[in-house]
Amino acid sequence: MRKIFLFTAIFHTLSSFGQDSANAIRLNQLGFYPMAPKIAVLAAAAPEQKFFIVTASRTDTVFSGQLGPEKQSLNSSAKTRVIDFSTFHTAGNYRIAIAGFPSSYTFSINPEVLHSVALSSLKGFYYIRSGMPLEKQYAGKWARAAGHPDNAVIVHGSAADNKRPEGTVIPTPGGWYDAGDYNKYVVNSGISTGTLLSAFEDFSHYFDTLRTNIPESADKVPDIINEVLYNLRWMMSMQDPGDGGVYNKCTNAAFDGMVMPDVTKLPRFVVQKGTAATLDFAAVMAQCARIARKMDRQLPGLADSCRRAAERAWDWAVQHPAQEYNQDEINRKFTPKITTGGYGDRHFDDEWYWAATELFLFNHAPRYRDTILRHVSQSLSIPSWNNVNMLAVYSLVRNREVVPADMQEAVKLLEHRLLVFADSLTAGQESSAFHTVMGRSPRDFTWGSNSTAANQGVALVNAWLLSHNKKYMDAALGNLDYLLGRNATGYCFVTGTGTRSTLHPHHRPSVADGIEDPVPGLLAGGPNPGRQDKSIYRFTEPETAYLDSSPAYASNEIAINWNAPLVYLANAIEAMRYSIPYDKH
């Protein structure tokens, strides 16, 4: 190794550069596995052709290489050059140095480098539990009093029937707060809970031993399942015992202010039943029943309870096949007016497909099989709360060995289509400005764009599980690198992670608790050129339209359906880190 006195002089000129120049080297701010790809990006014009990997103390050079050719981003005015040091494998703490720029943030190369974000992303769900106090031994400095016990929730006029007339009081305790607000929504809980259950199904041996220091960690149930159960039991309380239909949400009439959860005492309501909520509920209950059946000693009776709930929900949906949740129409008919998140969905083919799939995988009933075959040709797309068809595909492919013979041809076609879809994601990745699947199209940047990156990663992991083609896992890892700092903003979007991470998310406890650091383990929404919050953004191009300010909810809110695919992606990569041949040979 040689001393790098030249670069030491350069490092001390930070004050002469603007903030963008100081943050010009974009990389995963945690670091890299020793044998994994190691890609960073210089997001600035550079006359120099070489980069150097130096020790964290900036006294020794341990590796050098050539910067990649200049690339023009498709999504902003940024021009970039790739920094590829994948052939460097030595564990340690390092920086990247390029003449004319301050060094990068310190990063690590070690075999457990992403364990912390895998753990914290799952622990993030504990911090957003409703109806229970967060005790210091589990929550640390983010301990808080319980809020919204929801033991006396009012049946709204839109949800009333003969057995539960308007004004009836029912309990719907527990569950997760949905996002930056304090309400609980079945539709968004559906995709979020289903994604966590899928993570467990795909990597159960890994999750069997992962402990996140939650109140249930001492029992014999994996922590990811314990976390799911906290929300699942709330979902169960949202099913009308009289007819099996499921209420859309448990909510205030209007959003709470930016206060701690125990401060608000406004009335809470359950609001109209809907086809989307009921089918999402059926899918999650059936998926949980399938998992709980294998854990009957730890969770006695849960599989049967989930199965019955799923079947009753399906039966209600058959009788109400197109019951849209239309909040504007509700507010024309009933009071109080409900102005919290709607999660209204007018198209239910994807919910029928997902619910039928999960129920069929539990009991192979012909009515579910027929529904699957009617919907199996749906085009594939990244999952979202209003398009869950890919969750059905994942489950069918995951459980292909138990699918009956007369369904095998359909499943083989799905396997092929899933790989074609993954190939469409990876096509052109190497020519993209940040060397990621994320951002190959400006359409990737919308409300919750970081969930696009995470869900693309989940799709790529599923393609790897099916094919063991290394390119898919490398691309999935690249999207995680994007979320952790290798992006046009230079932010790590996971709170409490990295050197320059989101500090001011649109999240009520993080704003109101008086603690400088936000609640950790939460994924901010990400760049969104729509900027629906009307805040003043310094940057407005698709991949840079991000504002780390709590009022900027269009780009800086948190949400359970964004955190769930992060949990899947980060933990999948961590689960696979010892078995994937990451070398280039």
Side-chain angles (χ1 to χ4, degrees):
M1 294 186 293
R2 62 184 177 85
K3 301 293 182 182
I4 54 166
F5 299 109
L6 171 63
F7 287 102
T8 300
I10 292 170
F11 298 144
H12 290 295
T13 65
L14 177 60
S15 60
S16 66
F17 292 88
Q19 179 61 41
D20 293 337
S21 178
N23 188 37
I25 300 173
R26 312 290 167 80
L27 76 166
N28 179 331
Q29 294 173 21
L30 291 179
F32 308 89
Y33 296 119
M35 301 306 293
K38 302 173 191 68
I39 305 291
V41 168
L42 176 66
E48 295 294 326
Q49 299 299 315
K50 297 198 72 174
F51 70 88
F52 300 86
I53 306 300
V54 302
T55 55
S57 61
R58 300 179 294 204
T59 57
D60 294 295
T61 298
V62 295
F63 184 86
S64 64
Q66 295 291 317
L67 293 171
E70 186 175 85
K71 300 175 184 177
Q72 172 62 60
S73 176
L74 296 175
N75 307 302
S76 75
S77 54
K79 294 182 179 180
T80 66
R81 300 183 72 174
V82 166
I83 303 163
D84 188 345
F85 53 107
S86 300
T87 56
F88 179 66
H89 306 307
T90 305
N93 296 318
Y94 305 101
R95 298 174 185 250
I96 300 171
I98 300 171
F101 296 91
S103 63
S104 73
Y105 304 128
T106 300
F107 63 90
S108 177
I109 296 177
N110 74 70
E112 298 182 349
V113 69
L114 299 183
H115 178 73
S116 62
V117 71
L119 195 71
S120 70
S121 61
L122 178 56
K123 178 69 174 283
F125 282 88
Y126 166 74
Y127 286 111
I128 57 175
R129 289 186 185 185
S130 170
M132 69 175 292
L134 304 188
E135 300 174 32
K136 188 172 183 179
Q137 62 179 317
Y138 308 113
K141 63 183 177 182
W142 296 280
R144 59 168 172 81
H148 305 94
D150 291 335
N151 292 320
V153 175
I154 302 165
V155 175
H156 189 259
S158 63
D161 58 25
N162 291 335
K163 293 184 178 180
R164 283 185 167 180
E166 182 177 1
T168 301
V169 175
I170 64 172
T172 63
W176 303 314
Y177 294 128
D178 177 71
D181 61 287
Y182 290 137
N183 304 306
K184 302 180 291 189
Y185 306 82
V186 169
V187 168
N188 213 33
S189 277
I191 184 174
S192 305
T193 308
T195 299
L196 294 183
L197 288 171
S198 293
F200 176 76
E201 285 197 276
D202 285 335
F203 303 101
S204 59
H205 293 300
Y206 163 84
F207 281 111
D208 279 345
T209 57
L210 185 71
R211 294 292 177 263
T212 57
N213 186 34
I214 58 177
E216 302 86 358
S217 288
D219 68 16
K220 296 182 179 181
V221 177
D223 276 6
I224 190 172
I225 297 299
N226 276 320
E227 196 58 66
V228 163
L229 289 177
Y230 192 81
N231 193 63
L232 186 110
R233 292 186 175 110
W234 164 73
M235 291 181 71
M236 285 181 161
S237 74
M238 292 291 284
Q239 184 175 40
D240 185 341
D243 62 12
V246 178
Y247 303 113
N248 184 271
K249 58 182 173 177
C250 171
T251 181
N252 297 358
F255 288 113
D256 284 313
M258 303 301 281
V259 298
M260 293 300 286
D262 61 303
V263 171
T264 176
K265 307 297 182 184
L266 295 172
R268 304 272 276 183
F269 300 88
V270 291
V271 192
Q272 181 190 297
K273 301 166 193 171
T275 303
T278 302
L279 288 172
D280 285 339
F281 174 96
V284 168
M285 292 299 154
Q287 187 178 14
C288 188
R290 185 170 68 245
I291 293 169
R293 185 163 54 183
K294 301 175 183 178
M295 304 174 67
D296 191 56
R297 290 183 62 185
Q298 301 100 310
L299 300 168
L302 179 62
D304 285 340
S305 296
C306 289
R307 173 190 57 79
R308 287 192 296 268
E311 291 174 346
R312 294 203 69 216
W314 177 273
D315 291 340
W316 185 93
V318 169
Q319 297 172 25
H320 306 83
Q323 179 63 62
E324 175 191 351
Y325 182 83
N326 185 325
Q327 195 154 276
D328 290 338
E329 183 177 335
I330 288 171
N331 287 338
R332 285 192 289 268
K333 297 179 179 178
F334 303 100
T335 58
K337 292 184 177 181
I338 305 296
T339 58
T340 54
Y343 291 107
D345 190 353
R346 299 179 180 179
H347 305 287
F348 308 117
D349 283 354
D350 53 307
E351 286 89 1
W352 283 110
Y353 185 18
W354 184 32
T357 294
E358 303 299 352
L359 280 157
F360 177 78
L361 289 171
F362 189 86
N363 65 13
H364 292 178
R367 62 175 177 169
Y368 308 131
R369 173 189 179 277
D370 294 343
T371 301
I372 292 171
L373 293 177
R374 284 198 301 271
H375 295 90
V376 75
S377 60
Q378 289 183 22
S379 61
L380 304 190
S381 60
I382 293 300
S384 62
W385 64 263
N386 58 352
N387 189 349
V388 293
N389 72 333
M390 187 67 101
L391 301 186
V393 174
Y394 293 156
S395 284
L396 285 167
V397 171
R398 175 185 303 121
N399 294 281
R400 56 192 176 276
E401 294 181 0
V402 300
V403 171
D406 62 352
M407 290 279 287
Q408 285 294 327
E409 184 176 347
V411 173
K412 288 184 182 299
L413 178 61
L414 285 179
E415 292 175 2
H416 171 72
R417 293 175 63 210
L418 178 56
L419 293 179
V420 170
F421 179 78
D423 287 338
S424 74
L425 292 177
T426 58
Q429 175 193 356
E430 293 186 357
S431 62
S432 68
F434 290 87
H435 201 76
T436 57
V437 165
M438 177 62 182
R440 287 182 54 250
S441 167
R443 292 188 298 274
D444 285 350
F445 299 98
T446 183
W447 198 313
S449 63
N450 283 339
S451 70
T452 299
N455 274 306
Q456 287 172 343
V458 172
L460 292 162
V461 170
N462 275 268
W464 183 85
L465 290 170
L466 183 59
S467 68
H468 280 207
N469 187 326
K470 178 178 172 291
K471 73 174 183 178
Y472 300 128
M473 190 58 79
D474 284 354
L477 180 60
N479 266 26
L480 186 57
D481 286 347
Y482 170 92
L483 294 172
L484 298 179
R486 196 174 92 210
N487 58 65
T489 73
Y491 277 94
C492 169
F493 292 116
V494 183
T495 57
T497 299
T499 305
R500 189 196 186 203
S501 60
T502 295
L503 290 175
H504 308 288
H506 184 84
H507 176 236
R508 280 161 175 76
S510 293
V511 172
D513 61 10
I515 299 170
E516 182 177 358
D517 299 327
V519 170
L522 305 179
L523 180 65
N528 173 16
R531 295 171 287 141
Q532 293 88 344
D533 48 59
K534 308 302 181 185
S535 296
I536 298 174
Y537 284 61
R538 180 184 175 193
F539 303 106
T540 60
E541 294 176 312
E543 66 184 355
T544 62
Y546 174 73
L547 183 61
D548 184 18
S549 172
S550 58
Y553 55 81
S555 66
N556 211 34
E557 190 170 13
I558 63 95
I560 56 174
N561 63 312
W562 306 341
N563 245 69
L566 173 63
V567 170
Y568 184 112
L569 176 59
N571 284 278
I573 289 173
E574 182 69 2
M576 291 288 97
R577 60 190 162 96
Y578 294 118
S579 60
I580 298 173
Y582 269 133
D583 61 351
K584 294 294 183 182
H585 302 291

